[in-house]
Amino acid sequence: WAQLRFPEAPPRSLGALAARVPEPLAGEIAELEASVYGPAAGEWHGAGLAAALSSVDSVTKRPSSGGSDALMPLYR
């Protein structure tokens, strides 16, 4: 997700990602990082992160080409 969101310079760590996104997403990412790498690592549930992600645009939408999205036929 981070590589798609920031293609020019994707963050290389959870901390770097948290520094580039707005709250509450940044806080949820920090909680994930603490749960995985912190001294009191423990059980983590992703419901808060999922909710925070849904409140942020996932990636920039591509402009419509105006044409059909149908695939070319395999045999003509």
Side-chain angles (χ1 to χ4, degrees):
W1 179 86
Q3 189 171 10
L4 290 173
R5 178 76 175 177
F6 306 103
E8 70 286 347
R12 302 227 178 234
S13 68
L14 289 172
L17 176 59
R20 296 173 79 176
V21 297
E23 287 294 337
L25 182 55
E28 293 294 334
I29 293 171
E31 285 184 28
L32 170 61
E33 184 177 40
S35 175
V36 174
Y37 301 110
E43 191 172 324
W44 176 78
H45 299 283
L49 179 59
L53 271 172
S54 68
S55 69
V56 176
D57 291 337
S58 60
V59 292
T60 304
K61 293 182 181 176
R62 293 182 185 167
S64 176
S65 63
S68 173
D69 288 343
L71 293 174
M72 295 278 298
L74 185 58
Y75 301 102
R76 293 184 195 196

Short mmCIF file of all heavy atoms in Angstrom, two decimals:
data_model
loop_
_atom_site.label_atom_id
_atom_site.label_comp_id
_atom_site.label_asym_id
_atom_site.label_seq_id
_atom_site.Cartn_x
_atom_site.Cartn_y
_atom_site.Cartn_z
N TRP A 1 0.82 -1.17 0.00
CA TRP A 1 0.00 0.00 0.00
C TRP A 1 0.87 1.25 0.00
O TRP A 1 0.62 2.18 -0.74
CB TRP A 1 -0.96 -0.03 1.20
CG TRP A 1 -1.82 1.17 1.28
CD1 TRP A 1 -3.01 1.35 0.66
CD2 TRP A 1 -1.57 2.36 2.04
NE1 TRP A 1 -3.52 2.59 0.96
CE2 TRP A 1 -2.66 3.23 1.81
CE3 TRP A 1 -0.55 2.78 2.86
CZ2 TRP A 1 -2.74 4.49 2.38
CZ3 TRP A 1 -0.64 4.03 3.43
CH2 TRP A 1 -1.72 4.87 3.19
N ALA A 2 1.87 1.24 0.85
CA ALA A 2 2.74 2.42 0.95
C ALA A 2 3.49 2.67 -0.35
O ALA A 2 3.67 3.82 -0.76
CB ALA A 2 3.73 2.25 2.09
N GLN A 3 3.90 1.62 -1.03
CA GLN A 3 4.62 1.79 -2.30
C GLN A 3 3.69 2.36 -3.37
O GLN A 3 4.11 3.18 -4.18
CB GLN A 3 5.21 0.47 -2.76
CG GLN A 3 6.14 0.61 -3.93
CD GLN A 3 6.88 -0.67 -4.22
OE1 GLN A 3 6.58 -1.72 -3.68
NE2 GLN A 3 7.86 -0.59 -5.08
N LEU A 4 2.43 1.96 -3.36
CA LEU A 4 1.47 2.52 -4.30
C LEU A 4 1.10 3.95 -3.95
O LEU A 4 0.91 4.79 -4.81
CB LEU A 4 0.21 1.66 -4.34
CG LEU A 4 0.34 0.29 -4.97
CD1 LEU A 4 -0.94 -0.51 -4.76
CD2 LEU A 4 0.70 0.38 -6.43
N ARG A 5 1.00 4.22 -2.66
CA ARG A 5 0.60 5.55 -2.19
C ARG A 5 1.70 6.58 -2.40
O ARG A 5 1.43 7.74 -2.70
CB ARG A 5 0.24 5.45 -0.71
CG ARG A 5 -0.16 6.71 -0.06
CD ARG A 5 -1.54 7.11 -0.45
NE ARG A 5 -1.90 8.29 0.33
CZ ARG A 5 -3.01 8.92 0.19
NH1 ARG A 5 -3.91 8.50 -0.66
NH2 ARG A 5 -3.27 9.98 0.90
N PHE A 6 2.95 6.18 -2.20
CA PHE A 6 4.10 7.08 -2.32
C PHE A 6 5.11 6.50 -3.32
O PHE A 6 6.22 6.12 -2.95
CB PHE A 6 4.77 7.27 -0.95
CG PHE A 6 3.84 7.73 0.12
CD1 PHE A 6 3.36 6.86 1.09
CD2 PHE A 6 3.43 9.05 0.18
CE1 PHE A 6 2.50 7.29 2.08
CE2 PHE A 6 2.58 9.50 1.17
CZ PHE A 6 2.10 8.61 2.12
N PRO A 7 4.75 6.43 -4.61
CA PRO A 7 5.63 5.76 -5.58
C PRO A 7 6.96 6.47 -5.79
O PRO A 7 7.95 5.83 -6.12
CB PRO A 7 4.80 5.76 -6.87
CG PRO A 7 3.84 6.88 -6.71
CD PRO A 7 3.56 6.98 -5.24
N GLU A 8 7.02 7.78 -5.56
CA GLU A 8 8.26 8.51 -5.79
C GLU A 8 9.33 8.18 -4.75
O GLU A 8 10.50 8.20 -5.05
CB GLU A 8 8.00 10.02 -5.83
CG GLU A 8 7.62 10.65 -4.50
CD GLU A 8 6.20 10.35 -4.02
OE1 GLU A 8 5.38 9.86 -4.80
OE2 GLU A 8 5.92 10.62 -2.83
N ALA A 9 8.92 7.88 -3.54
CA ALA A 9 9.86 7.53 -2.46
C ALA A 9 9.10 6.76 -1.39
O ALA A 9 8.71 7.31 -0.37
CB ALA A 9 10.50 8.78 -1.88
N PRO A 10 8.87 5.46 -1.60
CA PRO A 10 8.10 4.69 -0.63
C PRO A 10 8.82 4.58 0.71
O PRO A 10 10.04 4.45 0.75
CB PRO A 10 7.94 3.32 -1.27
CG PRO A 10 8.87 3.27 -2.42
CD PRO A 10 9.28 4.67 -2.74
N PRO A 11 8.07 4.68 1.82
CA PRO A 11 8.69 4.53 3.14
C PRO A 11 9.22 3.10 3.32
O PRO A 11 8.63 2.15 2.83
CB PRO A 11 7.55 4.82 4.11
CG PRO A 11 6.31 4.84 3.32
CD PRO A 11 6.66 4.94 1.89
N ARG A 12 10.33 2.99 4.02
CA ARG A 12 10.98 1.70 4.19
C ARG A 12 10.72 1.06 5.55
O ARG A 12 11.24 0.00 5.83
CB ARG A 12 12.47 1.85 3.98
CG ARG A 12 12.82 2.40 2.62
CD ARG A 12 13.89 1.59 2.00
NE ARG A 12 14.19 2.08 0.66
CZ ARG A 12 14.17 1.29 -0.38
NH1 ARG A 12 13.87 0.04 -0.25
NH2 ARG A 12 14.46 1.77 -1.55
N SER A 13 9.93 1.73 6.38
CA SER A 13 9.61 1.16 7.69
C SER A 13 8.23 1.64 8.12
O SER A 13 7.68 2.58 7.56
CB SER A 13 10.65 1.59 8.73
OG SER A 13 10.54 2.98 8.98
N LEU A 14 7.70 0.99 9.14
CA LEU A 14 6.41 1.41 9.66
C LEU A 14 6.49 2.81 10.26
O LEU A 14 5.58 3.62 10.11
CB LEU A 14 5.90 0.41 10.70
CG LEU A 14 5.46 -0.94 10.15
CD1 LEU A 14 5.18 -1.91 11.29
CD2 LEU A 14 4.26 -0.79 9.25
N GLY A 15 7.59 3.11 10.92
CA GLY A 15 7.77 4.44 11.49
C GLY A 15 7.81 5.53 10.43
O GLY A 15 7.23 6.60 10.59
N ALA A 16 8.50 5.24 9.33
CA ALA A 16 8.56 6.20 8.23
C ALA A 16 7.19 6.38 7.59
O ALA A 16 6.83 7.50 7.21
CB ALA A 16 9.57 5.74 7.19
N LEU A 17 6.43 5.32 7.50
CA LEU A 17 5.08 5.41 6.96
C LEU A 17 4.19 6.23 7.89
O LEU A 17 3.46 7.11 7.44
CB LEU A 17 4.49 4.02 6.75
CG LEU A 17 3.04 3.97 6.28
CD1 LEU A 17 2.87 4.70 4.95
CD2 LEU A 17 2.56 2.54 6.18
N ALA A 18 4.28 5.98 9.18
CA ALA A 18 3.46 6.72 10.16
C ALA A 18 3.76 8.21 10.11
O ALA A 18 2.87 9.03 10.32
CB ALA A 18 3.70 6.17 11.56
N ALA A 19 5.00 8.57 9.81
CA ALA A 19 5.37 9.99 9.75
C ALA A 19 4.77 10.69 8.53
O ALA A 19 4.68 11.91 8.51
CB ALA A 19 6.89 10.13 9.73
N ARG A 20 4.33 9.92 7.54
CA ARG A 20 3.85 10.52 6.29
C ARG A 20 2.33 10.49 6.12
O ARG A 20 1.82 11.01 5.14
CB ARG A 20 4.49 9.79 5.11
CG ARG A 20 6.00 10.00 5.10
CD ARG A 20 6.66 9.18 4.06
NE ARG A 20 6.52 9.80 2.75
CZ ARG A 20 7.08 9.30 1.66
NH1 ARG A 20 7.80 8.21 1.72
NH2 ARG A 20 6.92 9.91 0.50
N VAL A 21 1.62 9.88 7.05
CA VAL A 21 0.17 9.78 6.92
C VAL A 21 -0.50 10.55 8.06
O VAL A 21 0.11 10.77 9.11
CB VAL A 21 -0.30 8.31 6.91
CG1 VAL A 21 0.24 7.58 5.69
CG2 VAL A 21 0.08 7.59 8.18
N PRO A 22 -1.76 10.94 7.88
CA PRO A 22 -2.46 11.71 8.92
C PRO A 22 -2.95 10.82 10.06
O PRO A 22 -3.01 9.59 9.94
CB PRO A 22 -3.65 12.32 8.16
CG PRO A 22 -3.91 11.35 7.05
CD PRO A 22 -2.56 10.81 6.66
N GLU A 23 -3.30 11.45 11.16
CA GLU A 23 -3.97 10.75 12.26
C GLU A 23 -5.38 10.45 11.82
O GLU A 23 -5.92 11.18 11.00
CB GLU A 23 -3.98 11.64 13.52
CG GLU A 23 -2.65 11.77 14.20
CD GLU A 23 -2.14 10.47 14.81
OE1 GLU A 23 -2.95 9.55 15.11
OE2 GLU A 23 -0.94 10.36 14.99
N PRO A 24 -6.01 9.44 12.24
CA PRO A 24 -5.62 8.43 13.21
C PRO A 24 -4.81 7.28 12.62
O PRO A 24 -4.36 6.41 13.35
CB PRO A 24 -6.96 7.92 13.73
CG PRO A 24 -7.88 8.04 12.57
CD PRO A 24 -7.42 9.28 11.83
N LEU A 25 -4.58 7.30 11.30
CA LEU A 25 -3.82 6.23 10.66
C LEU A 25 -2.41 6.14 11.22
O LEU A 25 -1.90 5.05 11.47
CB LEU A 25 -3.80 6.42 9.15
CG LEU A 25 -3.09 5.37 8.32
CD1 LEU A 25 -3.64 3.98 8.59
CD2 LEU A 25 -3.18 5.70 6.83
N ALA A 26 -1.77 7.27 11.44
CA ALA A 26 -0.40 7.27 11.97
C ALA A 26 -0.34 6.59 13.34
O ALA A 26 0.58 5.80 13.61
CB ALA A 26 0.12 8.69 12.07
N GLY A 27 -1.30 6.85 14.19
CA GLY A 27 -1.33 6.22 15.51
C GLY A 27 -1.54 4.72 15.43
O GLY A 27 -0.92 3.95 16.19
N GLU A 28 -2.39 4.28 14.52
CA GLU A 28 -2.63 2.84 14.36
C GLU A 28 -1.39 2.13 13.83
O GLU A 28 -1.07 1.02 14.24
CB GLU A 28 -3.82 2.60 13.43
CG GLU A 28 -5.14 3.05 14.01
CD GLU A 28 -5.57 2.25 15.21
OE1 GLU A 28 -5.17 1.07 15.35
OE2 GLU A 28 -6.31 2.81 16.04
N ILE A 29 -0.67 2.77 12.92
CA ILE A 29 0.58 2.19 12.40
C ILE A 29 1.62 2.12 13.51
O ILE A 29 2.35 1.14 13.62
CB ILE A 29 1.08 2.98 11.17
CG1 ILE A 29 0.10 2.80 10.01
CG2 ILE A 29 2.48 2.55 10.77
CD1 ILE A 29 0.36 3.70 8.83
N ALA A 30 1.68 3.15 14.34
CA ALA A 30 2.62 3.15 15.47
C ALA A 30 2.29 2.02 16.44
O ALA A 30 3.19 1.37 16.99
CB ALA A 30 2.61 4.50 16.16
N GLU A 31 1.00 1.77 16.67
CA GLU A 31 0.60 0.66 17.54
C GLU A 31 1.01 -0.68 16.95
O GLU A 31 1.46 -1.58 17.67
CB GLU A 31 -0.91 0.68 17.78
CG GLU A 31 -1.36 1.76 18.73
CD GLU A 31 -2.85 1.69 19.00
OE1 GLU A 31 -3.43 0.57 18.91
OE2 GLU A 31 -3.43 2.73 19.30
N LEU A 32 0.86 -0.84 15.65
CA LEU A 32 1.30 -2.07 14.98
C LEU A 32 2.80 -2.25 15.15
O LEU A 32 3.27 -3.34 15.51
CB LEU A 32 0.94 -2.03 13.50
CG LEU A 32 1.54 -3.13 12.63
CD1 LEU A 32 1.08 -4.51 13.09
CD2 LEU A 32 1.18 -2.89 11.17
N GLU A 33 3.56 -1.20 14.93
CA GLU A 33 5.02 -1.28 15.05
C GLU A 33 5.42 -1.65 16.48
O GLU A 33 6.30 -2.50 16.69
CB GLU A 33 5.65 0.04 14.65
CG GLU A 33 7.17 0.00 14.67
CD GLU A 33 7.78 1.29 14.19
OE1 GLU A 33 7.26 2.38 14.52
OE2 GLU A 33 8.79 1.20 13.50
N ALA A 34 4.77 -1.05 17.47
CA ALA A 34 5.09 -1.35 18.87
C ALA A 34 4.73 -2.79 19.21
O ALA A 34 5.44 -3.46 19.96
CB ALA A 34 4.35 -0.39 19.79
N SER A 35 3.64 -3.27 18.64
CA SER A 35 3.23 -4.65 18.91
C SER A 35 4.19 -5.66 18.31
O SER A 35 4.45 -6.71 18.89
CB SER A 35 1.83 -4.87 18.34
OG SER A 35 1.44 -6.21 18.49
N VAL A 36 4.73 -5.34 17.15
CA VAL A 36 5.63 -6.27 16.47
C VAL A 36 7.06 -6.15 16.98
O VAL A 36 7.73 -7.16 17.24
CB VAL A 36 5.59 -6.04 14.95
CG1 VAL A 36 6.62 -6.89 14.23
CG2 VAL A 36 4.20 -6.32 14.41
N TYR A 37 7.56 -4.92 17.15
CA TYR A 37 8.97 -4.71 17.44
C TYR A 37 9.26 -4.17 18.83
O TYR A 37 10.42 -4.08 19.22
CB TYR A 37 9.57 -3.73 16.42
CG TYR A 37 9.45 -4.23 15.00
CD1 TYR A 37 8.60 -3.61 14.10
CD2 TYR A 37 10.20 -5.32 14.56
CE1 TYR A 37 8.48 -4.05 12.79
CE2 TYR A 37 10.08 -5.77 13.26
CZ TYR A 37 9.23 -5.14 12.38
OH TYR A 37 9.11 -5.58 11.10
N GLY A 38 8.24 -3.78 19.59
CA GLY A 38 8.46 -3.15 20.89
C GLY A 38 8.82 -4.14 21.98
O GLY A 38 8.69 -5.36 21.81
N PRO A 39 9.28 -3.62 23.12
CA PRO A 39 9.68 -4.49 24.22
C PRO A 39 8.50 -5.25 24.82
O PRO A 39 8.67 -6.32 25.37
CB PRO A 39 10.29 -3.53 25.24
CG PRO A 39 9.72 -2.21 24.91
CD PRO A 39 9.46 -2.22 23.44
N ALA A 40 7.31 -4.70 24.72
CA ALA A 40 6.13 -5.37 25.25
C ALA A 40 5.29 -5.90 24.09
O ALA A 40 4.07 -5.74 24.07
CB ALA A 40 5.32 -4.40 26.10
N ALA A 41 5.95 -6.54 23.13
CA ALA A 41 5.25 -7.06 21.97
C ALA A 41 4.17 -8.03 22.41
O ALA A 41 4.37 -8.82 23.33
CB ALA A 41 6.23 -7.75 21.03
N GLY A 42 3.05 -7.94 21.80
CA GLY A 42 1.95 -8.80 22.20
C GLY A 42 0.95 -8.98 21.09
O GLY A 42 1.23 -8.75 19.92
N GLU A 43 -0.24 -9.37 21.50
CA GLU A 43 -1.30 -9.61 20.54
C GLU A 43 -1.79 -8.29 19.97
O GLU A 43 -1.98 -7.32 20.68
CB GLU A 43 -2.43 -10.34 21.24
CG GLU A 43 -3.46 -10.88 20.30
CD GLU A 43 -4.48 -11.76 21.01
OE1 GLU A 43 -4.10 -12.48 21.95
OE2 GLU A 43 -5.64 -11.69 20.62
N TRP A 44 -2.00 -8.28 18.66
CA TRP A 44 -2.45 -7.08 17.99
C TRP A 44 -3.67 -7.42 17.15
O TRP A 44 -3.74 -8.47 16.52
CB TRP A 44 -1.34 -6.53 17.10
CG TRP A 44 -1.73 -5.34 16.29
CD1 TRP A 44 -1.85 -4.06 16.72
CD2 TRP A 44 -2.07 -5.33 14.91
NE1 TRP A 44 -2.24 -3.24 15.69
CE2 TRP A 44 -2.39 -4.00 14.56
CE3 TRP A 44 -2.15 -6.30 13.93
CZ2 TRP A 44 -2.76 -3.64 13.28
CZ3 TRP A 44 -2.53 -5.93 12.65
CH2 TRP A 44 -2.82 -4.60 12.34
N HIS A 45 -4.64 -6.53 17.15
CA HIS A 45 -5.84 -6.71 16.33
C HIS A 45 -5.90 -5.55 15.34
O HIS A 45 -5.71 -4.40 15.71
CB HIS A 45 -7.09 -6.73 17.20
CG HIS A 45 -7.08 -7.86 18.19
ND1 HIS A 45 -7.34 -9.16 17.82
CD2 HIS A 45 -6.80 -7.88 19.50
CE1 HIS A 45 -7.23 -9.93 18.88
NE2 HIS A 45 -6.90 -9.18 19.91
N GLY A 46 -6.17 -5.86 14.11
CA GLY A 46 -6.10 -4.87 13.05
C GLY A 46 -7.37 -4.09 12.76
O GLY A 46 -7.43 -3.36 11.78
N ALA A 47 -8.39 -4.21 13.60
CA ALA A 47 -9.65 -3.52 13.33
C ALA A 47 -9.47 -2.00 13.30
O ALA A 47 -10.02 -1.32 12.44
CB ALA A 47 -10.70 -3.90 14.36
N GLY A 48 -8.68 -1.46 14.21
CA GLY A 48 -8.44 -0.02 14.24
C GLY A 48 -7.68 0.46 13.02
O GLY A 48 -7.99 1.50 12.45
N LEU A 49 -6.69 -0.32 12.61
CA LEU A 49 -5.91 0.03 11.43
C LEU A 49 -6.79 -0.04 10.18
O LEU A 49 -6.73 0.84 9.32
CB LEU A 49 -4.70 -0.89 11.28
CG LEU A 49 -3.81 -0.65 10.07
CD1 LEU A 49 -3.25 0.76 10.07
CD2 LEU A 49 -2.69 -1.67 10.03
N ALA A 50 -7.63 -1.07 10.09
CA ALA A 50 -8.52 -1.20 8.93
C ALA A 50 -9.48 -0.02 8.86
O ALA A 50 -9.72 0.53 7.78
CB ALA A 50 -9.28 -2.51 9.00
N ALA A 51 -10.01 0.39 10.00
CA ALA A 51 -10.93 1.53 10.02
C ALA A 51 -10.22 2.82 9.62
O ALA A 51 -10.75 3.64 8.87
CB ALA A 51 -11.56 1.67 11.40
N ALA A 52 -9.00 3.00 10.11
CA ALA A 52 -8.23 4.20 9.78
C ALA A 52 -7.86 4.22 8.30
O ALA A 52 -7.88 5.27 7.66
CB ALA A 52 -6.98 4.30 10.65
N LEU A 53 -7.51 3.06 7.75
CA LEU A 53 -7.18 2.98 6.32
C LEU A 53 -8.38 3.30 5.45
O LEU A 53 -8.24 3.93 4.41
CB LEU A 53 -6.66 1.58 5.97
CG LEU A 53 -5.18 1.36 6.11
CD1 LEU A 53 -4.85 -0.11 5.93
CD2 LEU A 53 -4.39 2.20 5.14
N SER A 54 -9.55 2.88 5.88
CA SER A 54 -10.74 3.14 5.07
C SER A 54 -11.10 4.62 5.03
O SER A 54 -11.82 5.06 4.14
CB SER A 54 -11.93 2.32 5.57
OG SER A 54 -12.34 2.77 6.84
N SER A 55 -10.60 5.40 5.99
CA SER A 55 -10.90 6.82 6.00
C SER A 55 -9.93 7.64 5.15
O SER A 55 -10.10 8.83 4.98
CB SER A 55 -10.88 7.35 7.44
OG SER A 55 -9.56 7.35 7.95
N VAL A 56 -8.90 6.98 4.60
CA VAL A 56 -7.89 7.65 3.78
C VAL A 56 -8.02 7.14 2.36
O VAL A 56 -8.26 5.96 2.14
CB VAL A 56 -6.46 7.34 4.32
CG1 VAL A 56 -5.40 7.94 3.44
CG2 VAL A 56 -6.32 7.82 5.74
N ASP A 57 -7.85 8.02 1.37
CA ASP A 57 -7.86 7.57 -0.02
C ASP A 57 -6.74 6.55 -0.18
O ASP A 57 -5.60 6.80 0.22
CB ASP A 57 -7.60 8.73 -0.97
CG ASP A 57 -8.75 9.72 -1.01
OD1 ASP A 57 -9.88 9.31 -0.68
OD2 ASP A 57 -8.52 10.87 -1.37
N SER A 58 -7.06 5.42 -0.80
CA SER A 58 -6.06 4.37 -0.90
C SER A 58 -4.93 4.73 -1.86
O SER A 58 -3.78 4.68 -1.50
CB SER A 58 -6.71 3.05 -1.32
OG SER A 58 -7.34 3.18 -2.56
N VAL A 59 -5.25 5.06 -3.07
CA VAL A 59 -4.27 5.49 -4.05
C VAL A 59 -4.95 6.45 -5.00
O VAL A 59 -6.16 6.53 -5.06
CB VAL A 59 -3.66 4.32 -4.86
CG1 VAL A 59 -2.80 3.44 -3.99
CG2 VAL A 59 -4.73 3.51 -5.53
N THR A 60 -4.17 7.17 -5.75
CA THR A 60 -4.72 8.09 -6.73
C THR A 60 -5.38 7.30 -7.84
O THR A 60 -4.79 6.35 -8.36
CB THR A 60 -3.60 8.98 -7.31
OG1 THR A 60 -2.96 9.64 -6.23
CG2 THR A 60 -4.16 10.00 -8.26
N LYS A 61 -6.58 7.67 -8.19
CA LYS A 61 -7.29 6.97 -9.24
C LYS A 61 -6.72 7.36 -10.59
O LYS A 61 -6.35 8.50 -10.81
CB LYS A 61 -8.77 7.31 -9.19
CG LYS A 61 -9.44 6.79 -7.96
CD LYS A 61 -10.91 7.11 -7.97
CE LYS A 61 -11.55 6.60 -6.70
NZ LYS A 61 -12.94 6.94 -6.59
N ARG A 62 -6.66 6.39 -11.47
CA ARG A 62 -6.18 6.64 -12.82
C ARG A 62 -7.28 7.32 -13.62
O ARG A 62 -8.45 6.97 -13.48
CB ARG A 62 -5.81 5.33 -13.50
CG ARG A 62 -4.61 4.67 -12.89
CD ARG A 62 -4.29 3.41 -13.64
NE ARG A 62 -3.20 2.73 -12.96
CZ ARG A 62 -2.84 1.50 -13.21
NH1 ARG A 62 -3.48 0.78 -14.10
NH2 ARG A 62 -1.84 0.95 -12.56
N PRO A 63 -6.91 8.25 -14.48
CA PRO A 63 -7.94 8.88 -15.31
C PRO A 63 -8.53 7.87 -16.28
O PRO A 63 -7.85 6.97 -16.75
CB PRO A 63 -7.20 9.99 -16.04
CG PRO A 63 -5.76 9.69 -15.89
CD PRO A 63 -5.60 8.80 -14.70
N SER A 64 -9.78 8.04 -16.57
CA SER A 64 -10.47 7.14 -17.49
C SER A 64 -9.93 7.35 -18.90
O SER A 64 -9.76 8.47 -19.36
CB SER A 64 -11.96 7.41 -17.45
OG SER A 64 -12.61 6.60 -18.41
N SER A 65 -9.69 6.26 -19.58
CA SER A 65 -9.18 6.35 -20.95
C SER A 65 -10.30 6.64 -21.93
O SER A 65 -10.05 6.93 -23.09
CB SER A 65 -8.47 5.05 -21.33
OG SER A 65 -9.39 3.97 -21.30
N GLY A 66 -11.54 6.52 -21.48
CA GLY A 66 -12.66 6.78 -22.35
C GLY A 66 -13.01 5.60 -23.23
O GLY A 66 -14.07 5.56 -23.83
N GLY A 67 -12.15 4.60 -23.29
CA GLY A 67 -12.40 3.44 -24.11
C GLY A 67 -12.97 2.30 -23.29
O GLY A 67 -13.19 2.39 -22.10
N SER A 68 -13.19 1.22 -23.97
CA SER A 68 -13.73 0.04 -23.33
C SER A 68 -12.59 -0.70 -22.60
O SER A 68 -11.46 -0.73 -23.07
CB SER A 68 -14.35 -0.89 -24.38
OG SER A 68 -14.71 -2.10 -23.80
N ASP A 69 -12.92 -1.30 -21.47
CA ASP A 69 -11.94 -2.07 -20.72
C ASP A 69 -11.94 -3.54 -21.12
O ASP A 69 -11.30 -4.35 -20.49
CB ASP A 69 -12.20 -1.95 -19.22
CG ASP A 69 -11.85 -0.59 -18.68
OD1 ASP A 69 -11.11 0.13 -19.37
OD2 ASP A 69 -12.29 -0.26 -17.58
N ALA A 70 -12.68 -3.86 -22.18
CA ALA A 70 -12.77 -5.26 -22.61
C ALA A 70 -11.44 -5.72 -23.18
O ALA A 70 -10.71 -4.95 -23.81
CB ALA A 70 -13.87 -5.39 -23.66
N LEU A 71 -11.15 -6.96 -22.97
CA LEU A 71 -9.92 -7.55 -23.51
C LEU A 71 -10.09 -7.82 -25.00
O LEU A 71 -11.19 -8.09 -25.48
CB LEU A 71 -9.61 -8.87 -22.79
CG LEU A 71 -9.23 -8.76 -21.34
CD1 LEU A 71 -9.10 -10.16 -20.74
CD2 LEU A 71 -7.95 -8.01 -21.18
N MET A 72 -9.00 -7.79 -25.69
CA MET A 72 -9.01 -8.15 -27.10
C MET A 72 -9.33 -9.63 -27.20
O MET A 72 -8.90 -10.42 -26.34
CB MET A 72 -7.65 -7.86 -27.74
CG MET A 72 -7.25 -6.42 -27.78
SD MET A 72 -7.97 -5.54 -29.15
CE MET A 72 -7.27 -6.39 -30.53
N PRO A 73 -10.02 -10.06 -28.24
CA PRO A 73 -10.30 -11.49 -28.37
C PRO A 73 -9.01 -12.26 -28.61
O PRO A 73 -8.06 -11.76 -29.21
CB PRO A 73 -11.23 -11.56 -29.59
CG PRO A 73 -11.07 -10.26 -30.29
CD PRO A 73 -10.60 -9.27 -29.29
N LEU A 74 -8.98 -13.48 -28.11
CA LEU A 74 -7.79 -14.32 -28.24
C LEU A 74 -7.58 -14.71 -29.71
O LEU A 74 -6.46 -14.71 -30.20
CB LEU A 74 -7.92 -15.55 -27.37
CG LEU A 74 -6.73 -16.48 -27.29
CD1 LEU A 74 -5.50 -15.71 -26.78
CD2 LEU A 74 -7.00 -17.66 -26.40
N TYR A 75 -8.66 -15.06 -30.38
CA TYR A 75 -8.59 -15.45 -31.80
C TYR A 75 -9.49 -14.53 -32.60
O TYR A 75 -10.57 -14.18 -32.19
CB TYR A 75 -9.04 -16.89 -31.99
CG TYR A 75 -8.23 -17.87 -31.21
CD1 TYR A 75 -8.71 -18.41 -30.03
CD2 TYR A 75 -6.96 -18.23 -31.64
CE1 TYR A 75 -7.95 -19.30 -29.30
CE2 TYR A 75 -6.20 -19.12 -30.91
CZ TYR A 75 -6.70 -19.66 -29.74
OH TYR A 75 -5.94 -20.53 -29.02
N ARG A 76 -9.03 -14.11 -33.75
CA ARG A 76 -9.84 -13.24 -34.61
C ARG A 76 -10.35 -14.00 -35.79
O ARG A 76 -9.83 -14.85 -36.32
CB ARG A 76 -9.02 -12.05 -35.09
CG ARG A 76 -8.67 -11.14 -33.97
CD ARG A 76 -7.97 -9.96 -34.53
NE ARG A 76 -7.31 -9.27 -33.45
CZ ARG A 76 -6.87 -8.06 -33.53
NH1 ARG A 76 -6.98 -7.38 -34.64
NH2 ARG A 76 -6.28 -7.49 -32.53
#
